[in-house]
């Protein structure tokens, strides 16, 4: 079964950052990513910015490398680095033709958008008409304009993709004479994209049209209107169409130019129409100016509002700063006032200025003294070093401890078992509602009735809009009575009526009893609060006197116990005061001793540190002196070697120059002698001697080459014979 995608309209733009092609075959499906140069060739592939276009160009260049490997035939099968198998050459051929522009297409779109905005703001500006290319509906783009097929689906399919149902061809049995099945030379493969063009439709399709000869359809006057610029038509477009119709009707009423008698009438009509057009144009200009004036007023109003808002922010910030400064100053004055009052109160307690010793017993017996509640302004901070008392647990402060603690816990702690709550049973075994459920139901109904009555709003009766007929209620039918024929029947009727009264009375009694049982607690509470009988009042009075006597007895007992406890607390306080005095003195002495010991240890440690630093400095100084001596020795040695090499170079250069001068002199002398001898021999040489010299030169050049060739041939013959013998 092959799949095909059907399209209704081609899109004007498709802003899809990634296009995928899926190829579905009989064996399975394969997904291919983007092609390398889609951003240049594909008109529907649009990138969001120039930066993305540059990035796509770089990726395409990196993916399609222009470096080519050219093999070397001499070292084709070599694995050595210095004899590579191939060489890398940069290909001069560009995969993109030169007529394809590599620039970003967004600049043209921005230019068009700027022209559209200018057209909206300035009505006098006319935007150049865009020339659209031929869509080729009946040509290569015919598949884009197929209609949606009607498929008998059992359930609604999504509108993004519609699959075409392939027709099942009847199976043909092969003839009996054929021994081998025929293999088809072609196979149909369907493709499917991730997106439908109709889902990203922006501009509707405008089909081609044909105009008959000698006909000017009115619809062609609207050819300048396009989607987004006049379409769909609004009030302004409708008024423009009406004006165009009026103008065409006016043009039809003009006298023809061939009529010379009505030329003046034609001129007057044209002048009148021109004045009307100028008046209409002036009205449009005035409307445009009013709109611009309104926009300018709105901008000025917004600017004033923004400026006022900024000014208010500045004023609020300044006011808040001044308020903070004022509060800080007031707080400082209040603190100074409290400190001064405290000092005056302290001076008033000791007017004579006598020195008083500390009364430790009084301090410890008074819970408001400095012992129990020291003041921080006197230099005592009870919360100082409180972090020493913080419990530091390995199992609570570290992750490893938490993991180990969690592993020791049982499963029901880390994995709680939540059971669903059982439904509340409100019925008895016999199927009746329980008393509590019935009470809840009755209370809910009463609450609902009260809320409805409270929230009920009396609606005023509206006067009838039309006359309505008032219906007269029908009279109630008379109560039927049974006529008795004998006294026995009357007695029976009276007995039945009496029995009904008894039953109704019993029902009322039962209802009253049930109500009494339900509100028994309220009745008892009312009886306790409002006793109506004298006996109950006396009983309540006796109970009150008993309770008051018990309260007085308990208060006396508590007073005695408190006196005893205060006496014992005083004795304990004296003993504890002496003990705490002794302990405080011992603590002070121990602290002083430890402090002195700490000073001694600190001084000893500082002395050792200084000795270690001094020894380190001495070692560094010795090492530095040794390094300087070694550097000086090396520098002197280098100077000596430099001087020696310099002298050696001078001596060698001098010797070479002297030898060269002597060799030149000797060579010149020998050349003069050889030239003299050669000139003398040349003057005495005959023709036979010349031929002999030429023959010697030829023999010395040609014969060695021929001998060399013969030696190579012998060597090749010997190698061939050895190879044949080996085979």
């Amino acid at each position: 079964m092959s799949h095909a995608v059907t399209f209704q309209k081609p899109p004007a733009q498709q802003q899809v950052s990634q296009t995928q092609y899926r190829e579905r075959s009989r064996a399975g499906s394969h997904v291919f990513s983007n092609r390398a140069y889609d951003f240049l060739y594909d008109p529907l592939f649009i990138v969001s910015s120039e930066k993305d276009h540059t990035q796509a160009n770089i990726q395409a260049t990196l993916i399609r490398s222009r470096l080519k490997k050219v093999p070397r035939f001499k070292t084709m099968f070599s694995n050595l680095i210095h004899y590579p198998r191939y060489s890398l050459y940069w290909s001069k051929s560009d995969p993109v033709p030169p007529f394809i522009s590599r620039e970003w297409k967004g600049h043209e779109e921005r230019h068009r958008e700027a022209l559209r905005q200018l057209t909206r703001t300035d009505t006098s500006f006319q935007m150049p008409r865009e020339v659209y290319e031929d869509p080729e509906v009946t040509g290569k783009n015919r598949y884009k304009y197929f209609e949606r097929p009607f498929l008998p689906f059992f359930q609604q399919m999504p509108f993004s993709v519609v699959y075409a149902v392939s027709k099942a061809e009847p199976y043909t049995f092969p003839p009996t004479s054929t021994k081998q099945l025929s293999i088809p030379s072609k196979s149909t493969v369907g493709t499917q994209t991730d997106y439908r063009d109709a889902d990203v439709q922006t501009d509707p399709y405008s089909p081609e049209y044909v105009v008959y000869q000698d006909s000017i359809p009115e619809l062609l006057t609207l050819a300048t209107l396009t989607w987004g610029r006049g379409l769909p038509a609004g009030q302004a477009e409708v008024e423009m169409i009406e004006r165009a119709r009026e103008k065409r009707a006016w043009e039809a009423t003009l006298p023809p130019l061939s009529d010379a008698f009505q030329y003046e009438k034609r001129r007057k009509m044209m002048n009148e129409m021109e004045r009307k057009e100028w008046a209409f144009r002036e009205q449009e200009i005035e409307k445009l100016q009013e709109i611009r004036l309104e926009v300018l007023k709105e901008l000025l109003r917004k600017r004033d509002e923004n400026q006022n808002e900024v000014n208010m922010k500045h004023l609020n910030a300044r006011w808040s700063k001044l308020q903070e400064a004022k509060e800080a100053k007031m707080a400082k004055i209040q603190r100074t006032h409290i400190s001064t009052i405290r000092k005056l109160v302290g001076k008033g307690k000791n007017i004579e200025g006598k020195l008083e010793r500390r009364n430790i017993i009084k301090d410890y017996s008074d819970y408001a003294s400095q012992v129990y509640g020291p003041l921080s302004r006197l230099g005592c901070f009870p919360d100082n070093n409180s972090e020493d008392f913080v419990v530091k647990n390995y199992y609570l402060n570290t992750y490893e401890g938490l993991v180990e603690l969690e592993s020791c816990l049982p499963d029901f702690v880390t994995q709680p078992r939540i059971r669903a709550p059982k439904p509340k049973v409100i019925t008895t075994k016999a199927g009746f509602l329980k008393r509590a459920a019935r009470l809840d139901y009755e209370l809910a109904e009463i609450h609902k009735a009260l809320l409805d009555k409270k929230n009920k709003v009396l609606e005023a009766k509206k006067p009838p809009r039309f006359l309505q007929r008032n219906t007269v209620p029908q009279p109630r039918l008379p109560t039927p009575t049974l006529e008795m024929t004998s006294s026995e029947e009357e007695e029976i009727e009276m007995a039945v009526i009496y029995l009904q009264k008894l039953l109704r009375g019993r029902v009322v009694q039962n209802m009253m009893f049930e109500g009494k049982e339900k509100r028994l607690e309220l009745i008892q509470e009312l009886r306790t609060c409002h006793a109506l009988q004298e006996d109950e009042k006396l009983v309540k009075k006796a109970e009150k006197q008993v309770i008051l006597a018990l309260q007085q007895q308990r208060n006396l007992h508590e007073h005695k116990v408190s006196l005893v406890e205060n006496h014992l607390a005083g004795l304990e306080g004296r003993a504890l005061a002496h003990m705490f005095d002794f302990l405080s003195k011992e603590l002070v002495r121990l602290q002083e001793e430890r402090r002195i010991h700490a000073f001694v240890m600190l001084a000893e440690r500082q002395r050792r540190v200084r000795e270690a630093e001094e020894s380190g400095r001495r070692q560094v100084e010795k090492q530095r002196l040794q390094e300087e001596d070694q550097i000086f020795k090396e520098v002197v040695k280098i100077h000596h070697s430099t001087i020696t090499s310099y002298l050696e170079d001078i001596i060698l250069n001098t010797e070479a120059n002297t030898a060269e001068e002597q060799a030149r002199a000797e060579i010149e002398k020998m050349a003069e002698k050889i030239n003299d001898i050669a000139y003398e021999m040349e003057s005495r040489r005959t023709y036979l001697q010349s031929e002999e010299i030429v023959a010697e030169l030829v023999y010395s050049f040609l014969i060695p080459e021929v001998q060399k060739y013969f030696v190579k041939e012998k060597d090749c013959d010997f190698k061939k014979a050895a190879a044949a013998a080996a085979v």
Side-chain angles (χ1 to χ4, degrees):
M1 177 177 176
S2 62
H3 303 283
V5 181
T6 59
F7 300 95
Q8 186 176 2
K9 298 178 183 178
Q13 285 184 346
Q14 184 175 359
Q15 295 184 356
V16 181
S17 62
Q18 183 176 3
T19 308
Q20 292 184 349
Y21 305 90
R22 286 192 174 92
E23 180 181 358
R24 300 182 180 272
S25 60
R26 297 177 183 176
S29 62
H30 304 282
V31 179
F32 299 93
S33 60
N34 298 345
R35 293 171 293 185
Y37 295 97
D38 268 350
F39 65 100
L40 296 177
Y41 292 103
D42 192 357
L44 305 181
F45 189 98
I46 296 176
V47 293
S48 59
S49 63
E50 190 174 4
K51 182 179 179 182
D52 295 341
H53 179 82
T54 307
Q55 187 176 1
N57 194 3
I58 294 171
Q59 289 179 357
T61 307
L62 295 176
I63 291 172
R64 186 180 178 88
S65 178
R66 296 172 67 180
L67 289 174
K68 293 186 177 180
K69 297 180 181 179
V70 180
R72 293 184 179 181
F73 295 96
K74 292 184 179 180
T75 59
M76 186 179 293
F77 304 99
S78 174
N79 291 327
L80 301 176
I81 299 175
H82 52 284
Y83 291 104
R85 296 193 300 270
Y86 57 88
S87 300
L88 295 174
Y89 289 88
W90 181 260
S91 177
K92 296 181 179 180
S93 62
D94 192 358
V96 180
F99 61 87
I100 299 296
S101 176
R102 289 180 175 267
E103 296 180 357
W104 183 44
K105 302 175 184 178
H107 294 297
E108 299 177 0
E109 189 64 24
R110 288 182 179 178
H111 180 65
R112 294 195 199 98
E113 187 64 24
L115 291 178
R116 293 193 194 101
Q117 293 180 359
L118 183 60
T119 306
R120 295 192 193 100
T121 55
D122 191 0
T123 55
S124 62
F125 178 79
Q126 293 184 357
M127 185 176 178
R129 185 176 180 181
E130 295 181 2
V131 180
Y132 299 98
E133 61 179 354
D134 186 11
E136 297 184 11
V137 179
T138 59
K140 63 179 181 179
N141 295 330
R142 182 181 178 184
Y143 69 95
K144 297 181 179 179
Y145 304 93
F146 288 167
E147 294 183 354
R148 188 186 302 275
F150 177 77
L151 301 178
F153 289 126
F154 291 100
Q155 58 184 359
Q156 186 68 23
M157 295 289 290
F159 292 103
S160 59
V161 175
V162 177
Y163 299 100
V165 179
S166 64
K167 297 181 180 179
E169 298 179 357
Y171 180 73
T172 56
F173 293 94
T176 56
S177 60
T178 57
K179 296 182 181 179
Q180 211 171 15
L181 295 174
S182 60
I183 300 173
S185 60
K186 297 181 180 179
S187 62
T188 302
V189 178
T191 61
Q192 176 184 341
T193 60
D194 283 352
Y195 303 95
R196 270 185 62 81
D197 292 341
D199 294 338
V200 292
Q201 184 74 31
T202 55
D203 292 350
Y205 166 66
S206 299
E208 297 179 351
Y209 55 87
V210 177
V211 181
Y212 291 103
Q213 190 175 5
D214 298 335
S215 64
I216 302 174
E218 187 181 5
L219 192 62
L220 287 181
T221 58
L222 307 178
T224 56
L225 301 179
T226 58
W227 186 263
R229 294 192 302 276
L231 293 178
Q235 184 179 0
E237 286 77 12
V238 173
E239 291 177 356
M240 182 189 70
I241 294 169
E242 293 295 333
R243 286 197 304 273
R245 287 178 177 176
E246 292 177 0
K247 189 172 183 180
R248 285 195 298 271
W250 173 78
E251 289 176 354
T253 59
L254 282 174
L257 290 172
S258 60
D259 192 357
F261 296 101
Q262 295 183 357
Y263 180 76
E264 188 67 23
K265 181 181 179 181
R266 180 184 178 90
R267 187 177 62 81
K268 289 180 179 179
M269 292 175 66
M270 292 183 67
N271 291 335
E272 186 179 356
M273 179 57 66
E274 187 176 0
R275 285 194 296 273
K276 289 182 180 180
E277 288 181 354
W278 277 108
F280 177 74
R281 180 60 179 167
E282 288 177 358
Q283 290 179 1
E284 286 187 346
I285 293 172
E286 289 178 358
K287 290 181 182 179
L288 185 61
Q289 289 178 352
E290 289 177 358
I291 292 171
R292 289 181 178 177
L293 185 61
E294 292 294 332
V295 172
L296 184 60
K297 288 180 180 179
E298 186 67 21
L299 291 175
L300 291 173
R301 186 182 62 79
K302 289 183 178 179
R303 189 187 67 177
D304 294 338
E305 289 179 356
N306 295 333
Q307 188 64 33
N308 293 334
E309 187 177 356
V310 171
N311 293 336
M312 287 300 295
K313 286 182 179 179
H314 289 324
L315 289 174
N316 291 335
R318 182 64 178 168
W319 184 80
S320 60
K321 287 182 180 179
L322 293 175
Q323 285 293 115
E324 290 177 358
K326 175 185 174 183
E327 290 176 358
K329 193 171 182 180
M330 290 293 292
K332 184 178 179 181
I333 294 170
Q334 190 70 18
R335 287 195 298 270
T336 307
H337 171 70
I338 293 170
S339 177
T340 307
I341 293 297
R342 192 182 296 115
K343 291 178 182 178
L344 291 174
V345 171
K347 290 181 179 179
K349 290 181 180 179
N350 190 6
I351 299 174
E352 297 180 359
K354 295 181 180 179
L355 297 175
E356 295 182 358
R357 295 175 60 88
R358 180 188 175 189
N359 192 351
I360 298 175
I361 297 173
K362 183 180 179 181
D363 291 344
Y364 278 95
S365 61
D366 186 9
Y367 293 102
S369 62
Q370 296 292 326
V371 177
Y372 296 101
L375 299 175
S376 58
R377 67 171 182 268
L378 300 178
C380 183
F381 302 95
D383 295 337
N384 196 11
N385 299 327
S386 60
E387 63 274 3
D388 297 339
F389 303 102
V390 178
V391 178
K392 297 179 182 179
N393 195 348
Y394 167 76
Y395 294 100
L396 298 178
N397 297 336
T398 59
Y399 175 73
E400 293 80 4
L402 287 173
V403 172
E404 185 177 353
L405 183 61
E406 186 178 355
S407 62
C408 298
L409 296 175
D411 295 338
F412 67 87
V413 177
T414 57
Q415 300 176 359
R417 301 177 181 88
I418 300 173
R419 296 180 180 177
K422 295 181 179 180
K424 189 177 181 181
V425 180
I426 61 175
T427 58
T428 59
K429 294 181 179 179
F432 298 101
L433 284 174
K434 290 185 178 180
R435 181 178 294 176
R438 190 165 63 249
L439 285 174
D440 294 340
Y441 180 71
E442 291 176 357
L443 288 173
E445 286 186 349
I446 293 169
H447 181 66
K448 185 178 179 182
L450 292 174
L451 288 178
D452 293 341
K453 188 175 180 181
K454 181 179 179 181
N455 298 329
K456 186 176 181 181
V457 179
L458 294 175
E459 296 181 357
K461 291 184 178 181
K462 296 181 179 179
R465 186 176 180 183
F466 304 102
L467 294 176
Q468 296 179 358
R469 184 175 181 181
N470 295 329
T471 58
V472 179
Q474 295 181 359
R476 184 177 178 182
L477 297 175
T479 305
T481 57
L482 183 62
E483 296 180 358
M484 301 298 174
T485 57
S486 63
S487 61
E488 293 180 359
E489 292 179 357
E490 291 181 1
E491 291 178 359
I492 292 171
E493 184 183 1
M494 295 301 293
V496 170
I497 292 171
Y498 183 70
L499 182 59
Q500 289 178 356
K501 289 180 179 180
L502 289 176
L503 292 174
R504 289 172 181 170
R506 192 61 179 171
V507 169
V508 173
Q509 287 179 359
N510 291 335
M511 290 175 63
M512 290 179 65
F513 182 75
E514 288 181 359
K516 177 185 175 184
E517 292 294 330
K518 291 178 183 178
R519 279 80 177 180
L520 186 60
E521 295 179 355
L522 294 174
I523 292 170
Q524 291 178 357
E525 185 177 355
L526 290 172
R527 284 181 177 178
T528 55
C529 296
H530 306 283
L532 302 177
Q533 298 179 3
E534 294 294 334
D535 298 339
E536 293 179 357
K537 289 183 179 181
L538 294 175
V539 171
K540 294 294 180 183
K541 189 174 182 180
E543 290 178 357
K544 183 178 179 181
Q545 291 178 359
V546 171
I547 292 170
L548 291 175
L550 291 174
Q551 287 180 355
Q552 187 176 4
Q553 187 178 359
R554 189 183 62 182
N555 292 333
L556 291 173
H557 179 69
E558 289 179 355
H559 182 64
K560 290 179 181 179
V561 171
S562 63
L563 290 176
V564 173
E565 288 180 354
N566 290 333
H567 185 66
L568 293 175
L571 296 175
E572 291 175 359
R574 294 189 188 93
L576 289 173
H578 291 295
M579 183 177 65
F580 287 152
D581 188 16
F582 174 73
L583 291 176
S584 64
K585 292 178 180 178
E586 288 293 326
L587 180 62
V588 171
R589 185 184 62 79
L590 184 61
Q591 288 177 353
E592 291 293 331
E593 184 179 354
R594 288 186 179 179
R595 190 165 61 83
I596 293 168
H597 180 68
F599 285 153
V600 172
M601 295 293 293
L602 187 62
E604 185 68 21
R605 180 174 174 275
Q606 192 174 5
R607 183 180 62 79
R608 292 177 182 176
V609 169
R610 288 180 178 177
E611 289 179 357
E613 290 177 354
E614 185 65 25
S615 61
R617 284 197 292 271
R618 290 178 182 176
Q619 291 178 2
V620 171
E621 187 69 23
K622 289 181 181 180
Q623 187 176 1
R624 187 174 61 79
L625 291 175
Q626 291 177 1
E627 289 178 356
E628 289 179 356
D629 294 341
Q630 187 67 26
I631 290 169
F632 180 75
K633 291 179 182 179
E634 293 294 333
V635 170
V636 171
K637 188 185 293 184
I638 289 170
H639 288 336
H640 286 300
S641 62
T642 304
I643 293 169
T644 305
S645 62
Y646 177 70
L647 294 175
E648 289 178 356
D649 291 340
I650 291 174
I651 293 169
L652 291 174
N653 291 332
T654 305
E655 290 178 354
N657 293 331
T658 305
E660 185 179 0
E661 291 176 357
Q662 291 178 0
R664 286 177 183 274
E666 291 179 359
I667 289 169
E668 289 176 356
K669 289 179 181 179
M670 190 174 291
E672 290 177 356
K673 290 180 181 181
I674 292 171
N675 287 333
D676 294 340
I677 295 169
Y679 291 152
E680 187 176 356
M681 290 178 65
E682 185 71 23
S683 60
R684 295 178 182 179
R685 188 179 61 187
T686 61
Y687 180 75
L688 293 176
Q689 289 177 352
S690 300
E691 292 290 333
E692 185 178 358
I693 291 169
V694 171
E696 289 180 356
L697 289 172
V698 170
Y699 179 80
S700 62
F701 280 104
L702 294 179
I703 297 303
E705 187 67 25
V706 173
Q707 289 179 355
K708 188 186 296 183
Y709 181 72
F710 284 143
V711 170
K712 285 184 178 180
E713 285 186 351
K714 287 181 181 181
D715 191 10
C716 290
D717 295 339
F718 179 74
K719 288 182 179 180
K720 289 179 180 179
V727 173

